[in-house]
């Protein structure tokens, strides 16, 4: 059996000025060494990437960006390329977050190009998938997730450079998390699909994170499921104590 090291990622979204960011990271660094065996990632806004790289230098905290433009370079005012992100010291980039899909209208075609740009730059893409409440209520969860995976992953995307995040849209920022059983069902489905797209060995080595209202109170339950290899945390990652509690829950993860 492949042992997948847990990954706890904090998506800061559009939060934290530089002063807030420095305070948050210094509080994280005070507590992080008490927890072993878990990979920890912060995803600040673009403007905070360089200063946060300094703040985390020499520590085990890794850094990711929240978005990327798919082109290598060019006349794309306001956009940031994968190479620029790499320059800051990032190792990861979140691609296909539901806010990018739904608020900014990013299509599968675009997201496929973004994932390729990230992977080609030698970075790791955290590729987000997930259904809306309407999709779930009409029994289309698996169809949607299946399409989101199939449209973007596969040929030309090195699976070693991909982490998948299952983020049901109805659970994001709502305080209503998927139950561990609901999340596990979809994670197991995703792993099966990764097996079809790549191969079963690759699928069993790929980390699949859960995101959507993860909090200290529900983290242990979610993280004890066999196919939940970590979390992509929004609101709770802005409070050092809560993010550290979720990291501790991952360290205590015992999968039967
Ligand atoms: P919340 O944890 O605030 O629900 O956000 C989840 C998320 O979107 C992480 O990317």
């Amino acid at each position: 059996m492949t042992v997948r090291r847990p990954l706890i990622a904090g998506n800061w979204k559009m939060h934290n000025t530089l002063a807030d960011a420095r305070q948050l990271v210094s509080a994280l660094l005070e507590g992080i060494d008490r927890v072993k065996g878990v990979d920890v990632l912060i995803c600040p806004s673009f403007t905070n990437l360089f200063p946060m790289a300094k703040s985390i230098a020499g520590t085990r905290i890794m850094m990711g960006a929240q978005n990327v433009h798919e082109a290598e370079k060019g006349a794309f005012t306001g956009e940031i390329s994968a190479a620029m992100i790499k320059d800051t010291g990032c190792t990861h980039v979140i691609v296909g977050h539901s806010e990018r899909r739904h608020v900014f209208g990013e299509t599968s075609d675009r997201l496929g190009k973004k994932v390729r740009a990230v992977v080609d730059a030698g970075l790791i893409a955290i590729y987000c998938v997930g259904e809306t409440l309407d999709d779930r209520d009409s029994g289309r969860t698996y169809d949607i997730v299946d399409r989101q995976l199939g449209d973007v992953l596969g040929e030309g995307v090195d699976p070693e450079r991909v982490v998948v995040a299952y983020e049901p849209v109805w659970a994001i920022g709502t305080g209503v998390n998927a139950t561990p059983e609901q999340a596990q069902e979809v994670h197991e489905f995703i792993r099966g699909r990764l097996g079809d797209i790549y191969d079963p060995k690759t699928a069993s080595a790929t980390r699949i994170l859960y995101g959507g209202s993860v909090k200290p109170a529900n983290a242990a339950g979610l993280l004890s499921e066999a196919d939940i290899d970590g979390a992509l945390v929004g609101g709770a990652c802005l409070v050092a104590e809560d993010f550290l509690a979720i990291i501790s829950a991952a360290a205590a993860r015992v999968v039967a």
Side-chain angles (χ1 to χ4, degrees), residues 11 13 97 99 167 171-174 211-214 232-236:
N11 177 5
K13 307 193 179 181
H97 190 280
E99 287 146 21
E167 296 209 316
I172 296 178
T174 59
S213 298
V214 176
L232 182 52
V233 184

Side-chain angles (χ1 to χ4, degrees), residues 24-205:
L24 175 57
V25 166
S26 89
L28 283 179
L29 287 172
E30 271 173 38
I32 200 129
D33 283 338
R34 290 198 289 275
V35 193
K36 308 273 181 233
V38 180
D39 287 340
V40 178
L41 180 78
I42 56 168
C43 300
S45 56
F46 284 133
T47 56
N48 279 331
L49 292 178
F50 272 115
M52 288 307 98
K54 269 197 176 168
S55 302
I56 61 170
T59 77
R60 53 187 270 248
I61 299 183
M62 300 180 290
M63 191 172 72
Q66 300 173 17
N67 186 28
V68 64
H69 192 273
E70 61 272 27
E72 223 173 279
K73 59 171 89 161
F76 301 104
T77 303
E79 294 294 323
I80 310 275
S81 73
M84 291 169 183
I85 288 171
K86 198 172 183 188
D87 272 349
T88 67
C90 279
T91 47
H92 293 67
V93 183
I94 299 172
V95 179
H97 190 280
S98 76
E99 287 146 21
R100 299 299 319 171
R101 292 179 192 265
H102 299 294
V103 184
F104 299 99
E106 294 190 359
T107 59
S108 291
D109 178 48
R110 187 113 202 253
L111 296 174
K113 290 179 182 154
K114 288 189 178 208
V115 166
R116 279 164 179 75
V118 169
V119 169
D120 291 349
L123 298 165
I124 295 171
I126 301 182
Y127 178 56
C128 305
V129 298
E131 81 287 3
T132 63
L133 190 57
D134 250 16
D135 297 330
R136 177 160 281 261
D137 288 347
S138 55
R140 289 185 297 139
T141 298
Y142 294 112
D143 284 351
I144 297 291
V145 170
D146 184 30
R147 204 169 332 131
Q148 289 170 335
L149 293 169
D151 281 351
V152 166
L153 303 180
E155 217 181 302
V157 180
D158 177 356
E160 288 191 12
R161 302 212 156 269
V162 174
V163 170
V164 176
Y166 170 56
E167 296 209 316
V169 182
W170 49 272
I172 296 178
T174 59
V176 182
N177 59 289
T179 63
E181 296 74 22
Q182 283 174 322
Q184 166 59 25
E185 272 175 21
V186 182
H187 280 232
E188 193 179 343
F189 172 78
I190 292 171
R191 203 172 303 285
R193 287 296 292 126
L194 290 172
D196 302 334
I197 295 169
Y198 293 106
D199 59 79
K201 190 160 169 258
T202 299
S204 88

